[in-house]
Amino acid sequence: MRELLTGAGYTVAGVRELLGPVAGGALARDEIVPALRATGGGSPLEALTRLFWLQVPVEAAAIQADELVAAGLVDASGGEMRARLRVEPVEAVDDGGGHVGYVVSDLKVRPGAGGVPAADHVVGAGGASGSLARLVVHRAVDNVLDVGTGCGVQAVHVASRNPGARITATDVNPRALDLARMSFALSGTVAGEAELLEGSLLEPVQGRRFDLIVSNPPFVVAPPGDRRFTYRESGLPGDDFCRRLVAAAPKHLDEGGYCQVLANWLHVEGVPWEERVGSWVDGCDAWIVQRDVQDPAEYAELWLRDSCEAGTPEYRVRYEAWLDHFERNGVTGIGFGWITLRRAEGGVVRVEEVRHAVDQPVGAYVPDVLDGFVKADEFSTACGQTVRAAASLVQEQIGPPGAEDPERIVLRQTVRLRRAAAVGTVEAGLAGVCDGSLPLDPLLDAIAQLTGMDPAQVRAHADAVLPALIADGFFTVV
């Protein structure tokens, strides 16, 4: 089957080129008409795209029907084939290997088509799974756990970068495990001995440790007892599933191992969200990033659209149930974001909001981000350390035209997290001279001499401001 798909050019690049930007953009909005117009030529690639991506019947003669039927992917009758399952190509997050993978999931339920997903519906690759795949660290790993694997997309991504890695995938949905097994076989990257275990959270792997744990879990915060869709709702109250996963993960990691998950968390009236979510972490370095926040009404609407319930007779009843639940519990908003854990002694926890665009994939530089937090926590000018300014910095001077001195100096990163920081003369001076070749002490003395400031005052200022700039990636401790 893999040879059939790749031979036809049924890859992400092949489908993207076939559809073009207009039809591709419309399909991203769940509008298939432009894509139908772009795939009417009858080639094997067009037939596979219509069959598995657009989910419309194609002539049995257009592709090797017997192969597809034997694999259980399609039904054939009356000279036509109809997809039983959805087969999507996925491409490696980094472009190093160019490996083509595939994931097998249930047919997509589109708005206006009638019906809602089944309770055991298995979703395919999507925006959330893509975000997690871009977050996962690019270090080499041998022993990987995918919690709540669904169609197996995260395991496929990790295995594409780590051929021969031992993969363990868990899910509460037996149907998901069956489809993940198909995804692994079709992708050709996951070893035949990949282990698939049924169970919730980390229960199936008690007593075991891993180099890497990944999870795109059922993080949706639904009213109590509402577990209608196993792919998104755990049945646990509030954001408790994500809390339990994050709290339990460190004892399942090898020293230096990573756990990376997507999560939703509640903003509760009177309690800073940073404190709530930060309290989930113990025994590891952690980077918790809030990428978006929705109010209770926006959140209910999002997930009612996700399950294609907008416009149904149950819509208003379910909408009000969500709002009642949030109101009873003092919920003012729901955060969406990433959580990265790294098992380490002590542990430095950073909780922050990053709403702007950042360089992708984040996984290429996640270790550097965590290292920066640790180094910042240990930093002191009294230690005689050497620092280096990030190579990607630019300096902006802001003030009235013609003014002798700027009102503000801003350092801005042009790559990675693309942060900006307002700085003073000392920091700006260090950014211009810290290339890692000299210790910090003589550089601070030189800045004091040039500015006429007292050297002790310069050091005190550096001690006050440099830790935050190191943590934010403007400087690196050499």
Side-chain angles (χ1 to χ4, degrees):
M1 278 304 308
R2 177 175 172 78
E3 292 176 0
L4 173 65
L5 299 177
T6 57
Y10 187 59
T11 65
V12 173
V15 174
R16 185 183 292 129
E17 182 178 357
L18 172 66
L19 295 181
V22 174
L27 194 57
R29 302 187 297 273
D30 278 326
E31 295 289 347
I32 68 169
V33 173
L36 289 172
R37 292 167 59 89
T39 57
S43 70
L45 173 57
E46 289 167 305
L48 289 168
T49 303
R50 292 171 75 91
L51 185 66
F52 289 128
W53 210 312
L54 307 184
Q55 301 175 187
V56 297
V58 301
E59 292 184 6
I63 200 75
Q64 298 175 37
D66 291 345
E67 299 269 0
L68 297 169
V69 172
L73 299 175
V74 304
D75 289 322
S77 63
E80 282 190 338
M81 287 189 294
R82 292 179 179 271
R84 296 181 60 199
L85 296 166
R86 182 176 175 86
V87 180
E88 298 171 81
V90 295
E91 59 186 355
V93 170
D94 57 340
D95 57 4
H99 181 84
V100 177
Y102 294 92
V103 291
V104 182
S105 61
D106 281 317
L107 297 176
K108 186 179 179 69
V109 179
R110 290 195 169 97
V116 299
D120 63 352
H121 183 81
V122 179
V123 297
S129 63
S131 294
L132 179 57
R134 292 187 292 271
L135 175 67
V136 172
V137 65
H138 285 192
R139 68 185 290 235
V141 292
D142 295 322
N143 194 7
V144 181
L145 172 64
D146 182 5
V147 178
T149 192
C151 67
V153 61
Q154 297 306 321
V156 168
H157 277 299
V158 174
S160 72
R161 289 198 299 269
N162 298 273
R166 290 169 290 164
I167 302 292
T168 301
T170 70
D171 208 291
V172 297
N173 182 0
R175 179 172 177 74
L177 296 176
D178 289 341
L179 297 188
R181 187 176 289 107
M182 296 178 71
S183 298
F184 297 164
L186 202 53
S187 295
T189 52
V190 180
E193 63 269 20
E195 186 178 21
L196 293 104
L197 302 174
E198 184 177 345
S200 182
L201 289 163
L202 294 162
E203 294 165 3
V205 293
Q206 288 302 308
R208 295 172 57 182
R209 290 190 177 186
F210 301 87
D211 300 328
L212 174 66
I213 299 173
V214 295
S215 183
N216 180 12
F219 53 64
V220 175
V221 181
D226 193 344
R227 190 185 178 184
R228 294 185 303 126
F229 308 110
T230 57
Y231 72 87
R232 73 181 199 188
E233 295 150 354
S234 69
L236 293 176
D239 49 21
D240 211 39
F241 189 95
C242 293
R243 180 190 66 79
R244 293 189 192 186
L245 178 59
V246 170
K251 65 176 176 286
H252 290 276
L253 291 173
D254 291 321
E255 189 65 23
Y258 285 78
C259 173
Q260 297 184 280
V261 305
L262 298 187
N264 280 184
W265 43 76
L266 297 177
H267 288 223
V268 180
E269 190 172 2
V271 182
W273 74 269
E274 298 92 339
E275 292 182 11
R276 280 195 76 249
V277 185
S279 70
W280 297 355
V281 178
D282 185 34
C284 58
D285 298 326
W287 184 31
I288 300 170
V289 179
Q290 181 164 271
R291 294 289 282 162
D292 193 16
V293 183
Q294 290 188 337
D295 66 42
E298 289 176 307
Y299 192 79
E301 292 163 14
L302 169 67
W303 295 112
L304 288 169
R305 285 195 305 270
D306 173 77
S307 52
C308 298
E309 295 179 270
T312 66
E314 297 82 13
Y315 180 77
R316 181 172 177 178
V317 173
R318 295 199 182 281
Y319 198 153
E320 291 193 352
W322 287 62
L323 296 183
D324 287 344
H325 172 58
F326 289 142
E327 186 174 334
R328 283 194 303 270
N329 290 278
V331 175
T332 59
I334 301 90
F336 295 69
W338 317 320
I339 299 178
T340 291
L341 311 176
R342 181 175 65 184
R343 182 166 176 169
E345 292 295 329
V348 176
V349 179
R350 172 73 173 262
V351 185
E352 63 177 324
E353 188 166 48
V354 179
R355 301 288 286 271
H356 60 270
V358 300
D359 280 0
Q360 299 290 353
V362 180
Y365 53 90
V366 158
D368 293 340
V369 173
L370 289 171
D371 288 345
F373 301 155
V374 174
K375 293 292 187 182
D377 192 57
E378 300 169 343
F379 177 80
S380 170
T381 57
C383 297
Q385 293 174 304
T386 300
V387 301
R388 180 175 57 240
S392 61
L393 296 183
V394 296
Q395 179 176 304
E396 299 173 359
Q397 298 190 166
I398 302 168
E404 184 175 344
D405 297 312
E407 291 181 357
R408 281 195 307 145
I409 303 173
V410 175
L411 294 180
R412 190 178 300 277
Q413 300 166 358
T414 58
V415 297
R416 295 193 169 188
L417 292 177
R418 299 182 176 271
R419 300 186 194 269
V423 298
T425 305
V426 172
E427 307 95 287
L430 287 173
V433 298
C434 282
D435 60 3
S437 62
L438 290 173
L440 194 56
D441 281 346
L443 297 177
L444 292 174
D445 288 339
I447 290 173
Q449 186 174 5
L450 287 171
T451 60
M453 298 172 64
D454 179 82
Q457 183 182 5
V458 170
R459 278 177 172 73
H461 182 76
D463 272 324
V465 300
L466 279 180
L469 293 172
I470 291 167
D472 284 347
F474 291 92
F475 294 89
T476 303
V477 178
V478 178

